[in-house]
Amino acid sequence: MSTHRTANRQRNLFPKRTKELKSVVHSAPGWKLFGKVPPRENLQKTSRIIQQEYEARTGRTCKPPPQSSRRKNFEFEPLSTTALILEDRPSNLPAKSVEEALRHRQEYDEMVAEAKKREIKEAHKRKKIMKERFKQEENIASAMVIWINEILPNWEVMRSTRRVRELWWQGLPPSVRGKVWSLAVGNELNITPELYEIFLSRAKERWKSFSETNSENDVEGVSVADREASLELIKLDISRTFPSLYIFQKGGPYHDVLHSILGAYTCYRPDVGYVQGMSFIAAVLILNLEEADAFIAFANLLNKPCQLAFFRVDHSMMLRYFATFEVFFEENLSKLFLHFKSYSLTPDIYLIDWIFTLYSKSLPLDLACRVWDVFCRDGEEFLFRTGLGILRLYEDILLQMDFIHIAQFLTKLPEDITSEKLFTCIAAIQMQNSTKKWTQVFASVMKDIKEGDKNNSPALKS
């Protein structure tokens, strides 16, 4: 019987409630399951609706909390959970004492003040970042005018002047970066766009022939098997080149261009072939130059003594570079140098990856481009100076680490490394040992290498 009365009461209530809330429900978005179920009427209700329904059923009017009017006057509105400390307890619990209410008020005011302080600090930080960004954009714009109107038209005369070198150190404007790199790297190999097309056509023919036959004949002294392995490595490396940009992977706008340049180079320099890491260098050039110009700069860049030594894996030359690096390492960062020595941590463990990719894999791309800027100005010496700058930047951290953690840290540098901090550390590195500069020290280390007195690098022993 009671069940029957309940059912009747529900039948009487629902139509009435539906009418009362029709305007509210009508405006609220419903949901459908596969388009067959009408919008739900039991949507989550706001506190206002719940209060109205309660007042309608009980005939009571809910008084607003006494603190609500005061809270509206605050300039800073904290999270609701923060303000709960000011609320009175429910009527079925003992009321707050005057002392407790005052203490809660004080705690609340402290929380609000702390929150306001954090907000002001964040606002100042954002303002500072924006101000620095605007200043940087203005500097780039003014520098671009100088490079285009004054320096580039008079390149040979002005490139070595103090003014240009100082402007160069600050980083090249993106609009002239490719042009300056091309001029600085030069074209000693006398490669023309037409020559690039010839080697590209040759590469495409070989890609086609490799897919059609498995001939093991030697071509120009290099076995087909080696060439196939090189082509497979190119495909694999391209997929791992700046993956976060999604522009060099298959289907990306620069995938074919990168593949063409690397393939053409393996035909142009079969004695070198493709070596892991080349894809990053070619990719950076593609981002700043047209295809043929990128190939010309790429081939000439890899023909420099340091790059050629590394990409041809010339052990004796690589050891000379490592030994020279250690001379300046000890000169500039003696404490860290001894720490590395105590763990027998040799430069090849971290320098090889840095040099192979010219820091384009290890540093954020914009920072790597600025390293390239000065590398084009100063040559190979700056690559090793940059390495010392990185070690100086993280010296305090590295001194607390053991062999494994140092190797891991230097293999994957922090992503928040900034241009200002790194170049400040690079500027503090003195590339002079006693009275000898980099080139003089490099020339004098061969005798030490021959005597076996320096740099017994386990990674380079064969």
Side-chain angles (χ1 to χ4, degrees):
M1 186 73 179
S2 60
T3 305
H4 181 68
R5 279 199 301 271
T6 303
N8 286 335
R9 188 162 55 250
Q10 288 178 341
R11 280 196 295 269
N12 293 334
L13 279 173
F14 280 126
K16 183 179 180 182
R17 287 179 60 193
T18 303
K19 290 176 183 177
E20 289 174 356
L21 300 176
K22 188 173 181 181
S23 59
V24 177
V25 173
H26 182 71
S27 62
W31 59 270
K32 293 185 178 181
L33 182 63
F34 305 118
K36 294 182 179 181
V37 178
R40 294 173 59 184
E41 294 187 0
N42 60 335
L43 296 172
Q44 185 176 2
K45 302 171 184 177
T46 63
S47 58
R48 180 64 180 163
I49 294 173
I50 294 172
Q51 180 181 325
Q52 288 174 350
E53 291 181 4
Y54 175 77
E55 291 174 356
R57 287 198 305 270
T58 62
R60 298 178 184 177
T61 302
C62 293
K63 296 180 180 180
Q67 285 84 6
S68 61
S69 59
R70 287 181 295 180
R71 209 176 302 154
K72 289 179 182 178
N73 296 327
F74 291 137
E75 294 179 4
F76 174 83
E77 183 66 22
L79 293 173
S80 58
T81 52
T82 304
L84 284 177
I85 196 172
L86 293 179
E87 299 288 346
D88 286 335
R89 294 195 183 96
S91 57
N92 60 327
L93 294 176
K96 291 181 183 180
S97 65
V98 176
E99 293 79 8
E100 186 180 14
L102 289 173
R103 187 176 74 252
H104 285 178
R105 162 60 64 183
Q106 184 179 356
E107 290 174 0
Y108 173 76
D109 290 342
E110 289 173 357
M111 285 188 284
V112 170
E114 190 63 31
K116 288 179 71 175
K117 193 184 297 182
R118 284 197 302 270
E119 180 65 27
I120 293 170
K121 187 177 179 181
E122 287 296 321
H124 282 315
K125 186 178 179 180
R126 288 193 297 269
K127 187 177 180 181
K128 184 180 179 183
I129 291 172
M130 291 299 296
K131 189 176 180 180
E132 289 175 352
R133 187 177 297 170
F134 288 141
K135 184 179 179 181
Q136 186 180 17
E137 290 174 357
E138 289 176 358
N139 291 339
I140 290 172
S142 59
M144 181 183 66
V145 173
I146 296 171
W147 278 100
I148 293 174
N149 296 334
E150 299 179 34
I151 301 173
L152 291 177
N154 306 288
W155 175 253
E156 293 301 331
V157 177
M158 296 191 67
R159 65 177 297 179
S160 299
T161 62
R162 182 175 179 179
R163 180 194 176 202
V164 171
R165 288 181 63 81
E166 289 177 352
L167 196 62
W168 207 331
W169 174 268
Q170 296 169 14
L172 298 170
S175 57
V176 301
R177 177 168 275 148
K179 180 66 174 176
V180 175
W181 285 359
S182 293
L183 290 170
V185 171
N187 188 11
E188 293 180 354
L189 300 173
N190 295 315
I191 301 174
T192 62
E194 292 74 23
L195 189 62
Y196 166 62
E197 292 296 334
I198 291 171
F199 283 108
L200 177 57
S201 298
R202 194 175 298 178
K204 288 179 179 179
E205 288 174 7
R206 285 178 180 164
W207 292 334
K208 186 178 179 181
S209 66
F210 287 148
S211 63
E212 294 174 353
T213 179
N214 288 323
S215 171
E216 292 297 331
N217 296 326
D218 284 3
V219 182
E220 296 181 12
V222 181
S223 71
V224 173
D226 289 341
R227 289 182 179 279
E228 285 181 325
S230 185
L231 290 173
E232 286 301 315
L233 186 57
I234 288 175
K235 288 181 181 178
L236 180 62
D237 250 18
I238 287 176
S239 67
R240 298 183 297 197
T241 303
F242 298 120
S244 61
L245 298 181
Y246 301 107
I247 57 176
F248 294 106
Q249 288 63 42
K250 193 166 185 178
Y254 293 120
H255 172 270
D256 293 343
V257 179
L258 181 56
H259 195 268
S260 297
I261 288 177
L262 296 175
Y265 182 78
T266 60
C267 292
Y268 175 70
R269 291 299 299 264
D271 57 320
V272 179
Y274 179 78
V275 182
Q276 202 168 5
M278 285 183 178
S279 64
F280 280 89
I281 297 177
V284 173
L285 291 169
I286 288 169
L287 292 174
N288 291 277
L289 291 162
E290 295 297 325
E291 183 174 340
D293 294 329
F295 176 79
I296 294 169
F298 180 72
N300 279 277
L301 190 57
L302 267 54
N303 198 52
K304 301 294 182 184
C306 180
Q307 278 61 54
L308 205 56
F310 276 77
F311 283 114
R312 296 182 75 171
V313 196
D314 185 333
H315 288 187
S316 62
M317 284 295 290
M318 291 172 76
L319 287 171
R320 287 180 68 182
Y321 280 109
F322 293 145
T324 307
F325 173 82
E326 286 205 300
V327 170
F328 292 96
F329 187 2
E330 185 176 16
E331 184 78 18
N332 285 275
L333 304 166
S334 57
K335 191 175 180 181
L336 187 61
F337 174 80
L338 293 174
H339 183 64
F340 278 26
K341 280 292 183 183
S342 68
Y343 286 111
S344 298
L345 199 150
T346 50
D348 53 278
I349 292 173
Y350 50 93
L351 272 183
I352 285 179
D353 192 46
W354 293 353
I355 302 300
F356 263 111
T357 62
L358 302 181
Y359 295 96
S360 57
K361 182 182 176 184
S362 309
L363 298 175
L365 184 57
D366 58 338
L367 179 51
C369 285
R370 187 174 171 188
V371 170
W372 278 46
D373 292 343
V374 188
F375 162 59
C376 289
R377 187 194 79 169
D378 294 352
E380 63 187 34
E381 172 186 326
F382 189 73
L383 294 178
F384 297 93
R385 190 181 181 189
T386 299
L388 292 172
I390 292 172
L391 296 179
R392 181 185 178 91
L393 178 60
Y394 296 111
E395 182 178 14
D396 293 339
I397 298 173
L398 294 170
L399 285 170
Q400 307 301 319
M401 293 182 176
D402 58 14
F403 181 99
I404 295 296
H405 290 95
I406 291 172
Q408 290 175 341
F409 183 88
L410 295 178
T411 300
K412 185 172 176 57
L413 295 170
E415 295 180 359
D416 61 351
I417 183 171
T418 64
S419 179
E420 292 74 18
K421 288 181 180 179
L422 178 58
F423 269 78
T424 298
C425 290
I426 294 173
I429 299 296
Q430 299 299 316
M431 298 302 283
Q432 186 166 319
N433 176 252
S434 300
T435 57
K436 293 180 179 179
K437 295 184 178 181
W438 171 269
T439 52
Q440 295 169 315
V441 174
F442 182 74
S444 67
V445 298
M446 182 54 86
K447 184 174 70 171
D448 296 324
I449 293 294
K450 287 180 179 179
E451 294 173 357
D453 290 339
K454 282 201 172 188
N455 207 316
N456 294 316
S457 178
L460 295 174
K461 288 181 179 179
S462 58

